[in-house]
Amino acid sequence: MNLLTVSNDRPAESCLEISTFPCCLKIQTVPRCLHMPTPEPSPKRRPFRVYTTRDLGAAIRHYRTDAGLTQREFADRVGLHRSYLSELESGRTTEALERIMACFQELGLTLLVTPVETP
């Protein structure tokens, strides 16, 4: 069953026949289209979906090392103790983080950690 149709309920032959709002063209999608260029995200700049505090720690570690910062340098910059940052990166949870994650889960939401694009 083809869920994508064009006028007269005729099945679309390709994605080029499907009308798209201009704002939708700016949305990065995971599926790759054979007819439209989709930039491949750099492995170092890929977004992280955060479902657990362990995922959040992995995202922090990934982007910290991508920035070339040691735990000590990063901890000093953000006002954390280096050992606490280490615990966060290893997935150790705190009551505050658990409550925040529970709020998102209760609302059926996940966090998407993605780099800010600089001009």
Side-chain angles (χ1 to χ4, degrees):
M1 176 178 183
N2 188 338
L3 300 177
L4 302 175
T5 60
V6 290
S7 61
N8 301 328
D9 295 326
R10 178 179 60 83
E13 297 293 322
S14 77
C15 61
L16 296 177
E17 292 185 66
I18 302 168
S19 63
T20 304
F21 293 104
C23 63
C24 294
L25 296 174
K26 296 177 185 176
I27 300 171
Q28 291 185 355
T29 58
V30 175
R32 297 189 57 78
C33 174
L34 299 176
H35 303 287
M36 296 171 60
T38 305
E40 189 67 42
S42 164
K44 289 188 174 186
R45 304 302 287 172
R46 68 181 169 89
F48 273 80
R49 288 205 186 278
V50 176
Y51 299 100
T52 66
T53 55
R54 183 174 299 277
D55 297 336
L56 183 61
I60 292 170
R61 178 184 294 119
H62 175 81
Y63 289 117
R64 175 187 58 78
T65 57
D66 184 43
L69 297 171
T70 65
Q71 282 185 341
R72 169 76 58 210
E73 292 167 331
F74 185 65
D76 288 345
R77 285 186 182 193
V78 297
L80 296 175
H81 195 278
R82 191 212 54 83
S83 62
Y84 179 69
L85 175 62
S86 176
E87 290 176 0
L88 286 176
E89 288 185 352
S90 66
R92 183 157 182 203
T93 190
T94 66
E95 185 177 345
L97 286 175
E98 284 296 325
R99 288 180 183 198
I100 291 168
M101 296 307 294
C103 288
F104 286 117
Q105 289 172 354
E106 184 64 29
L107 294 170
L109 302 172
T110 61
L111 296 173
L112 181 66
V113 178
T114 183
V116 175
E117 297 298 325
T118 54

